[in-house]
Amino acid sequence: MIFDSLVTRARQSIAKRKHYNRLVAEIDSFSSRDLADMRADRSEMLYQVHKQIYG
């Protein structure tokens, strides 16, 4: 029971990290010009992604 819980939490944590890394890579792929066109700030986007995934 306890082992199953640990394994489940580990899998969830790995899935969250993979999702976070994918989103960060996508944000990092935007050029400064792309961000200016979207009127977006890279650091704010990264903050929002972190907040969305990890709470």
Side-chain angles (χ1 to χ4, degrees):
M1 188 90 153
I2 293 173
F3 181 72
D4 291 337
S5 175
L6 287 173
V7 170
T8 300
R9 284 181 36 205
R11 285 184 179 156
Q12 290 172 343
S13 179
I14 290 169
K16 280 183 180 181
R17 175 57 65 175
K18 285 173 97 173
H19 188 211
Y20 176 77
N21 286 343
R22 253 184 282 131
L23 291 173
V24 168
E26 186 173 340
I27 291 169
D28 285 342
S29 73
F30 293 139
S31 69
S32 295
R33 178 68 186 166
D34 293 333
L35 292 170
D37 289 344
M38 292 187 287
R39 295 185 180 159
D41 180 74
R42 188 181 316 272
S43 62
E44 180 63 26
M45 291 174 77
L46 292 171
Y47 170 75
Q48 291 299 328
V49 164
H50 189 273
K51 191 166 106 175
Q52 175 188 355
I53 302 232
Y54 295 109

